[in-house]
Amino acid sequence: MVASIYAGKKPNLTFDTGSGVTKTLVMPSGKAVEYVAYERLYFVGNVEDSACQYMNVYVPKGATQKTPILLRTYAREDRPQEPTEPTGLDATGRALAEGYVVAIPGGRFASAHVQLLDLKAAVRYLRLFDKKMAGSAERIIADGTGVGGALVSMLGTTGNHPDYEQQLEEMGAADKKDDVYACVCYSPLLNKEQEDQAYEWLFNCTNNQTRPLTAEQAMRSNELAAQYARYLNSLELKNPTDGTLMKADNFRSYIKWQLIKAAQTAKNAGAIIPDSIGFTFSDVAEELSASQAATPAPQLLTTEERLRNAAKYLNSPRQGRKVETKPVGEYLVNLDIETYLNFLATTQRMREPAEAGDRAMAYNVETGDRTAQTAPHWYIRHGAMDCQTSFATTTAFAVKLQNQGKEVNFLLAWNRTFGGDYALDELFDWMAFIVHNS
């Protein structure tokens, strides 16, 4: 814990309802969205970095104090983050167009812990002025990608944790709660050290085939993979489908069925899935392999259900779009995951096995701490084509949350690499669902 040089100073947090400036955002569709901008709202009284310790808040026409707030962080690992304006190219512009209040906080660059403190302070600021500002601080949906996704994960699992209280007080943060309603995490870099281990555990099968390594690198890869196996075994994860205990020896099979689910979802929507990357196809849903029977797979749908689901994902009443859907004929019933992973290794440059000195800022995410309030709703996406990070880490995190009874919408997004704020129709359908059904 780093002592604040501002300890003892009295916080001076303000919000002037008359300071808003009316602006217009033109979306890629040509739609003009009018909103009121409240900018440079400092969320701590003892400002250490005036270039980034503030937040911009954008209120669309028609917003009330019951309107949900999208809290979008653009945090990076290599520099401070100054708040930006909303853009039609990501969830911020879409949120304004949908009628959500948008808050974009900045943050210092020092450590993951400091970045989290700034994000918590921003949440507390929104709660402090909840009655003066449009938007409900009880309906904050935090969104981030990569480092931002990791910070959102940390924010969502450490709500109101007493370990942060002293430093937040020294910063001059509001004396309010900092838990959030929902978290949207794209490709979250959850933990540097375990990510290195998880990467080797997942991609170890590509060594000296599509990923040539030296003898020393191969040895390091094997050591890291073994470390992650021990870590997985310590988590005591339970399969969300049937409650069976998952260890390192069967967790890969669970990931396999998550990949099958992702590919089937894409195929239902019209994607072409090649048979050269490890998948087994069938014309009947009931044809199950022995391995599938041993490890419950995602539910296979009837043709009618598949059409209905495809229509739900592809037709957006907000955009006025109409997409024709049709049966695509085949079910994916199995996957040779080593074939698939070796295919991935041919599409991008693979990472080399990390050394101890390679680890930078650690974004450790703990779940199950009873002194923290964990967000009840989670939307987690990790690209099924991502070779830069391990989707084992994200999958384990999603399972842990499900084991705790949280509502988790998790997908290894088909044909996606590292990135975020994609498939926004799906995201905003989910946001509307949780807001109106809980």
Side-chain angles (χ1 to χ4, degrees):
M1 305 287 279
V2 180
S4 170
I5 63 174
Y6 299 105
K9 290 189 177 181
K10 184 178 179 181
N12 182 27
L13 302 176
T14 62
F15 174 70
D16 179 4
T17 56
S19 64
V21 176
T22 300
K23 296 185 178 182
T24 301
L25 174 66
V26 179
M27 299 292 288
S29 65
K31 177 181 178 180
V33 180
E34 189 173 299
Y35 60 92
V36 177
Y38 299 91
E39 298 180 323
R40 299 195 78 85
L41 304 174
Y42 285 91
F43 48 69
V44 291
N46 303 322
V47 178
E48 182 181 74
D49 189 340
S50 61
C52 61
Q53 280 185 291
Y54 66 89
M55 175 168 50
N56 296 335
V57 175
Y58 304 97
V59 180
K61 274 189 172 181
T64 70
Q65 288 187 332
K66 294 183 179 180
T67 300
I69 301 172
L70 180 76
L71 181 74
R72 179 60 159 94
T73 174
Y74 292 94
R76 296 173 60 103
E77 192 176 33
D78 58 350
R79 70 189 69 169
Q81 183 57 54
E82 296 182 19
T84 63
E85 294 188 66
T87 170
L89 301 178
D90 67 16
T92 56
R94 176 65 179 268
L96 283 176
E98 296 277 354
Y100 290 81
V101 172
V102 172
I104 305 177
R108 292 167 292 169
F109 170 68
S111 68
H113 181 75
V114 167
Q115 289 177 317
L116 178 60
L117 287 171
D118 282 345
L119 197 56
K120 282 178 170 288
V123 171
R124 290 179 171 215
Y125 180 95
L126 291 172
R127 275 211 165 88
L128 178 64
F129 295 110
D130 196 21
K131 296 187 183 300
K132 294 183 66 175
M133 186 187 302
S136 172
E138 298 304 317
R139 288 290 185 269
I140 295 175
I141 303 172
D143 176 17
T145 297
V147 166
L151 284 174
V152 167
S153 301
M154 294 167 68
L155 178 70
T157 56
T158 63
N160 311 319
H161 197 291
D163 282 357
Y164 301 89
E165 193 61 43
Q166 180 180 345
Q167 283 187 287
L168 285 165
E169 182 180 351
E170 292 171 350
M171 290 164 59
D175 184 17
K176 295 291 183 179
K177 298 190 299 179
D178 52 50
D179 60 290
V180 293
Y181 177 66
C183 295
V184 177
C185 307
Y186 287 95
S187 300
L189 301 176
L190 297 177
N191 181 299
K192 267 290 184 185
E193 183 169 359
Q194 289 168 7
E195 170 58 32
D196 292 338
Q197 298 170 357
Y199 191 87
E200 299 307 320
W201 180 85
L202 183 67
F203 290 109
N204 189 265
C205 65
T206 69
N207 293 354
N208 298 317
Q209 298 177 52
T210 47
R211 184 198 185 199
L213 299 178
T214 66
E216 181 182 350
Q217 288 174 326
M219 182 180 298
R220 193 158 66 241
S221 173
N222 291 334
E223 290 173 353
L224 290 168
Q227 289 170 11
Y228 191 70
R230 291 193 292 271
Y231 171 74
L232 271 177
N233 291 340
S234 73
L235 293 178
E236 298 186 345
L237 299 175
K238 294 182 179 179
N239 191 314
T241 305
D242 62 3
T244 57
L245 192 64
M246 291 197 296
K247 297 285 189 176
D249 58 355
N250 62 0
F251 190 64
R252 190 181 298 269
S253 184
Y254 180 77
I255 292 176
K256 175 184 76 174
W257 288 110
Q258 288 294 329
L259 289 166
I260 291 175
K261 180 178 74 172
Q264 187 71 63
T265 300
K267 190 171 179 60
N268 291 348
I272 297 174
I273 310 297
D275 59 5
S276 59
I277 61 175
F279 288 100
T280 300
F281 298 82
S282 173
D283 286 330
V284 289
E286 291 73 23
E287 185 177 314
L288 304 178
S289 66
S291 62
Q292 183 176 354
T295 304
Q299 182 182 5
L300 295 174
L301 308 179
T302 65
T303 297
E304 181 180 353
E305 289 171 325
R306 292 165 71 195
L307 288 174
R308 186 163 60 248
N309 285 354
K312 179 182 72 172
Y313 286 119
L314 296 177
N315 298 328
S316 170
R318 305 179 187 85
Q319 299 296 328
R321 295 191 296 117
K322 178 65 178 178
V323 178
E324 296 298 330
T325 58
K326 60 182 179 180
V328 291
E330 292 179 320
Y331 296 93
L332 306 176
V333 295
N334 210 343
L335 171 65
D336 184 324
I337 192 168
E338 291 197 4
T339 299
Y340 179 75
L341 293 174
N342 274 277
F343 158 71
L344 287 192
T346 68
T347 65
Q348 303 157 56
R349 182 177 179 180
M350 301 287 288
R351 284 165 39 184
E352 294 182 355
E355 298 183 18
D358 292 342
R359 297 176 181 92
M361 298 166 69
Y363 294 86
N364 298 297
V365 178
E366 299 292 341
T367 57
D369 187 338
R370 295 184 180 180
T371 61
Q373 186 170 341
T374 300
H377 303 286
W378 294 78
Y379 184 94
I380 303 174
R381 292 292 183 270
H382 196 121
M385 289 283 289
D386 185 357
C387 278
Q388 301 310 304
T389 58
S390 172
F391 36 73
T393 308
T394 310
T395 303
F397 179 57
V399 170
K400 191 70 171 178
L401 289 168
Q402 288 175 294
N403 289 171
Q404 294 179 353
K406 307 306 177 185
E407 185 270 324
V408 181
N409 186 315
F410 171 62
L411 185 67
L412 296 175
W414 186 251
N415 206 30
R416 294 282 183 180
T417 56
F418 184 88
D421 277 14
Y422 50 72
L424 291 181
D425 285 346
E426 291 183 26
L427 171 60
F428 280 87
D429 282 347
W430 174 79
M431 288 169 57
F433 176 82
I434 64 170
V435 166
H436 293 103
N437 291 277
S438 61

